[in-house]
Amino acid sequence: MLKVASAVVDAMRRQTPGLVVLIYHRVGRRTPIEVDLPVSLFTEQVALLASECGVVTLTEGLAHLADPNAARRPMVAVTFDDGTADFAEEAVPVLVEHGIPVTLYVATHFLEHQIPFPDDGKPITWAALRDVVDTGLVEIGSHTDSHALLDRLPGAQIDGELDRSIDLIGERLGVRPAHFAYPKAMMGSAAAALAVRARFDSAAIAGTRVNRYGATDPYRLARSPIQVSDGMRWFRHKLAGGMALEDTIRRTVNRRRYANATT
């Protein structure tokens, strides 16, 4: 019902072209959580992206949005969060088959110490991550070191949280992450926002909507989470920048759900 209501609201709004950034988390349906997609559904979605959408890297999309002379065409960028093993085992083969670039935001502490993510999320290894980077389609971003929520982390700890992530990615993969995603898509404190701006070219939050030409702050980049219940019907709506109402309600619920959380 919530998805239907969101689509009704979308129909009353004029959609404008821009950059839609998709968030995936897991592929393989190894757990019952809503963000763990069956391989078959993910494959169908990626095939649609390849055949019908103007897919760009996140770097390309942001540069195009900021160019006042750029043609106003719709674009889609694909991102993954966390860094679970299924990214290499299930998602990357599909992405490579269809030539779809992706940005993976990793929470480095889980990879470095091979600590499971919540909901039985087996972390990817650095070796596997090096292999997927070598495909030329995978860009690595930062998701903090310990997946800390930066709106409630003491100011003195923010720099270390970001720098450990940057340093580990550099040491293990030989690259410096240009892009950042706030854990749980929750905007950080004023101090965190300044620290992020000093280190990265962009920062992603929530907000299922189009990032518009000439009106997008790259440090408040909206992304659209993809869920099992989206199937293909609602996935198409999200590709068009729709389903904002669903996201607004989800964020309201999550603020209460994560009120006492730190990661």
Side-chain angles (χ1 to χ4, degrees):
M1 290 295 294
L2 179 56
K3 290 181 184 296
V4 171
S6 297
V8 170
V9 172
D10 291 340
M12 295 185 290
R13 294 175 176 170
R14 179 175 175 269
Q15 297 292 343
T16 58
L19 175 66
V20 172
V21 183
L22 306 178
I23 316 173
Y24 287 96
H25 286 82
R26 301 185 193 176
V27 177
R29 204 56 186 159
R30 302 175 187 184
T31 65
I33 61 175
E34 256 289 85
V35 293
D36 192 347
L37 274 63
V39 174
S40 58
L41 176 59
F42 179 71
T43 300
E44 189 175 3
Q45 291 178 352
V46 171
L48 175 63
L49 289 171
S51 63
E52 298 185 16
C53 300
V55 181
V56 295
T57 67
L58 190 58
T59 298
E60 291 169 342
L62 289 171
H64 201 71
L65 282 184
D67 183 355
N69 299 314
R72 301 275 174 122
R73 60 185 176 88
M75 302 175 290
V76 178
V78 178
T79 68
F80 270 75
D81 279 6
D82 299 336
T84 49
D86 56 273
F87 176 74
E89 297 166 0
E90 306 288 0
V92 168
V94 177
L95 295 166
V96 169
E97 179 183 355
H98 294 278
I100 298 296
V102 60
T103 298
L104 170 64
Y105 297 104
V106 295
T108 48
H109 182 79
F110 295 85
L111 279 63
E112 182 70 7
H113 300 283
Q114 285 297 288
I115 298 171
F117 287 94
D119 298 305
D120 299 320
K122 178 183 176 183
I124 193 171
T125 65
W126 288 114
L129 203 50
R130 284 192 291 272
D131 288 342
V132 300
V133 169
D134 286 344
T135 66
L137 290 174
V138 180
E139 180 178 31
I140 303 300
S142 170
H143 203 33
T144 73
D145 182 48
S146 66
H147 204 268
L149 302 183
L150 298 187
D151 64 331
R152 56 204 66 182
L153 194 69
Q157 297 179 25
I158 292 171
D159 287 349
E161 186 71 32
L162 299 177
D163 290 339
R164 281 193 299 275
S165 173
I166 293 169
D167 292 345
L168 279 170
I169 292 169
E171 291 169 9
R172 302 294 183 246
L173 303 177
V175 298
R176 181 181 176 86
H179 304 291
F180 176 79
Y182 284 98
K184 291 186 170 66
M186 296 171 67
M187 190 74 185
S189 63
L194 288 174
V196 167
R197 286 175 181 265
R199 291 165 171 80
F200 302 99
D201 296 336
S202 75
I205 53 174
T208 303
R209 65 179 186 274
V210 176
N211 296 282
R212 297 178 179 178
Y213 286 92
T216 293
D217 179 350
Y219 294 95
R220 298 179 67 90
L221 189 65
R223 294 195 294 163
S224 303
I226 304 304
Q227 305 166 304
V228 175
S229 58
D230 288 331
M232 292 302 293
R233 178 185 180 186
W234 305 118
F235 177 71
R236 287 179 178 273
H237 279 263
K238 288 183 176 179
L239 284 181
M243 310 302 285
L245 175 62
E246 179 191 29
D247 183 76
T248 298
I249 293 174
R250 182 188 301 111
R251 278 184 287 160
T252 300
V253 171
N254 283 345
R255 285 192 199 101
R256 296 179 181 178
R257 179 183 177 189
Y258 302 131
N260 298 314
T262 57
T263 63

